Amino acid sequence: MTNDMMNVRSLVEKSADADLLREMIGFAAERLMELEVGSAAGAEFGEKNPMRLAQRNGYRDRDWETRAGTVDLRIPKLRKGSYFPSFLEPRRMAEKALTAVIQEAYIQGISTRSVDDLVKAMGMSGISKSHVSRLCEEIDVKAFLDRPIEGEWPYVWVDATYLKVRRGGRVVSVAVIIAVGVNSDGRREVLGMVVGTSEAEPNWTEFPRRLTRRGLRGVKLVVSDAHEGLKAAVTKVLNATWQRCRVHFMRNVLAHAGKSGRRVVSAFIATAFAQETSEAASAQWRSVTDQITPKVPKLATIMDDAEEDVLAYMTFPKEHRAKLHSTNPIERLNGKATHRGGRYLSERRGDRPSRGRAAARTERRVGRPTRQVYDP
């Protein structure tokens, strides 16, 4: 006891004011660990006692982040059994909070170097890249990707974007296909996601099949870009109407109108979209096609072929049409996946989207309430 008092007095006399509290915390933690490990071993350090239960086996170093700064701890080890200080609860609340902050930063696309700066700004000593990777390996959204889909989903948007993947020491692009749906309560959710090597027809066909196996039903309209594979899958697997994205269609059409005629052609086609009923829209569409045919026959042919698909949304309730004619509701999500999920997926993770930033970002949007777009 006398030696302990002398050690405390020595700390008070020799330490700088800024370090005094941290040194005192370290001293108190050391004494507490000695008492706890002595109780666990059945004898104090160096004591010969026939009732001893275990021998000591050196120490292991650990940094303890406190409000006073980082305290260097030397935690005693036992040859038989194990010891962990009671004041260092595994994954205590503060450590869980820090882990959550780091994982959220990772999901938002912040680099490991910036994460290190963030941790330092929080008053800690920093964090290594490997430590960030270990913490973020816990982000697994497989349960989300495989969750049952309940209820009816009358409207579904499907689109694909490309992300970079490290494979065999090379960086290649893979297609990430995402489906977003609106249920009969007007709630929008991400229904699923799959990664394929391309937007080929087999990938488009298997994706809706996977969704139906998870319980997707009641689909009336699927909105997407002009992917022939998806169009066939919508009819074959989902038995639903397919709506070609109006925005993408207009881009394709105006590319054939010539630079000087784009504004006029755009205004002509817009008159069909402004109609109140499906029949009126079709009639106006054909009228515009007839006017365009003499000057731009190729553009007129494209319009003839696309009429049914581009105007499919006109057969649905008027109050829903603003959300149904394009893939804009999902384009924003794809943009975030590309921008914030742009860090390469790692080969050691098996190119699995459930471990990537894009999937984690997607998971965060599951169940997020949105404005009512479908009234039962």
Side-chain angles (χ1 to χ4, degrees):
M1 185 66 179
T2 303
N3 290 336
D4 293 345
M5 293 299 296
M6 292 176 63
N7 289 336
V8 173
R9 187 178 298 112
S10 176
L11 284 175
V12 174
E13 292 175 352
K14 295 181 179 181
S15 297
D17 292 342
D19 299 330
L20 176 60
L21 182 57
R22 185 171 62 252
E23 296 290 344
M24 291 183 68
I25 291 174
F27 174 79
E30 181 182 348
R31 292 301 304 148
L32 182 57
M33 287 189 292
E34 289 296 331
L35 292 173
E36 289 182 346
V37 80
S39 176
E44 297 296 329
F45 179 74
E47 178 185 356
K48 295 182 179 181
N49 190 333
M51 302 300 292
R52 178 182 288 275
L53 302 175
Q55 299 288 335
R56 298 194 181 213
N57 189 29
Y59 298 86
R60 59 188 176 93
D61 297 327
R62 173 172 174 146
D63 292 338
W64 182 24
E65 299 291 349
T66 70
R67 293 184 180 182
T70 303
V71 177
D72 298 326
L73 298 180
R74 299 183 70 234
I75 301 176
K77 297 193 297 183
L78 299 175
R79 292 185 182 275
K80 183 180 179 181
S82 62
Y83 165 71
F84 194 83
S86 60
F87 58 87
L88 289 180
E89 297 179 11
R91 282 301 181 89
R92 62 192 184 279
M93 192 62 67
E95 187 174 343
K96 288 181 180 180
L98 176 61
T99 300
V101 169
I102 293 173
Q103 290 176 344
E104 176 66 17
Y106 176 86
I107 290 172
Q108 296 297 334
I110 298 175
S111 66
T112 51
R113 178 175 297 180
S114 296
V115 171
D116 181 50
D117 294 337
L118 174 63
V119 172
K120 289 179 179 178
M122 295 171 65
M124 301 177 187
S125 57
I127 187 169
S128 65
K129 295 181 180 179
S130 59
H131 194 183
V132 172
S133 297
R134 285 195 299 270
L135 290 177
C136 292
E137 283 179 355
E138 299 176 9
I139 304 174
D140 194 347
V141 293
K142 189 177 185 303
F144 150 69
L145 294 174
D146 296 335
R147 79 192 191 284
I149 301 176
E150 300 176 350
E152 295 191 349
W153 299 82
Y155 302 139
V156 176
W157 294 261
V158 182
D159 200 13
T161 188
Y162 281 85
L163 295 178
K164 301 291 186 179
V165 174
R166 290 192 183 279
R167 180 178 295 162
R170 298 180 300 110
V171 176
V172 298
S173 294
V174 295
V176 180
I177 304 173
I178 303 175
V180 172
V182 170
N183 64 11
S184 54
D185 295 327
R187 185 182 183 87
R188 185 173 64 192
E189 294 186 10
V190 176
L191 298 177
M193 181 179 65
V194 68
V195 173
T197 54
S198 67
E199 299 177 57
E201 183 171 348
N203 292 329
W204 285 120
T205 304
E206 178 57 28
F207 184 43
R209 283 177 179 169
R210 192 177 301 180
L211 294 177
T212 55
R213 286 195 294 266
R214 288 171 46 207
L216 179 64
R217 59 186 174 86
V219 180
K220 297 180 181 178
L221 182 69
V222 176
V223 187
S224 76
D225 196 4
H227 304 289
E228 290 301 323
L230 177 60
K231 182 178 179 181
V234 167
T235 304
K236 185 189 308 181
V237 180
L238 299 178
N239 193 26
T241 303
W242 178 64
Q243 166 66 40
R244 181 176 179 179
C245 176
R246 202 173 79 181
V247 175
H248 287 87
F249 170 76
M250 289 298 294
R251 291 174 185 168
N252 295 338
V253 166
L254 295 180
H256 296 278
K259 192 171 183 180
S260 59
R262 289 176 185 174
R263 182 174 297 180
V264 175
V265 171
S266 178
F268 276 9
I269 297 176
T271 60
F273 298 144
Q275 303 302 311
E276 294 291 329
T277 65
S278 175
E279 294 76 12
S282 295
Q284 180 63 21
W285 186 275
R286 297 189 188 106
S287 174
V288 172
T289 303
D290 292 341
Q291 296 179 56
I292 292 176
T293 300
K295 295 184 178 180
V296 194
K298 186 174 182 179
L299 191 154
T301 301
I302 294 175
M303 289 187 62
D304 277 334
D305 295 339
E307 177 187 344
E308 182 179 337
D309 299 329
V310 176
L311 298 179
Y313 76 102
M314 294 293 294
T315 60
F316 289 84
K318 182 180 179 180
E319 59 271 20
H320 302 163
R321 295 175 188 171
K323 295 282 187 179
L324 301 180
H325 63 70
S326 73
T327 56
N328 285 350
I330 197 173
E331 288 285 351
R332 182 184 178 193
L333 178 61
N334 277 345
K336 289 184 177 180
T338 304
H339 175 67
R340 296 176 176 173
R343 308 290 189 267
Y344 303 147
L345 299 180
S346 175
E347 183 181 32
R348 66 183 176 83
R349 295 175 179 168
D351 296 345
R352 290 177 296 172
S354 58
R355 289 288 190 179
R357 294 175 190 250
R361 180 72 194 172
T362 301
E363 182 196 22
R364 294 297 303 276
R365 296 190 61 84
V366 172
R368 185 170 294 180
T370 60
R371 186 169 54 190
Q372 192 91 350
V373 297
Y374 177 83
D375 297 320

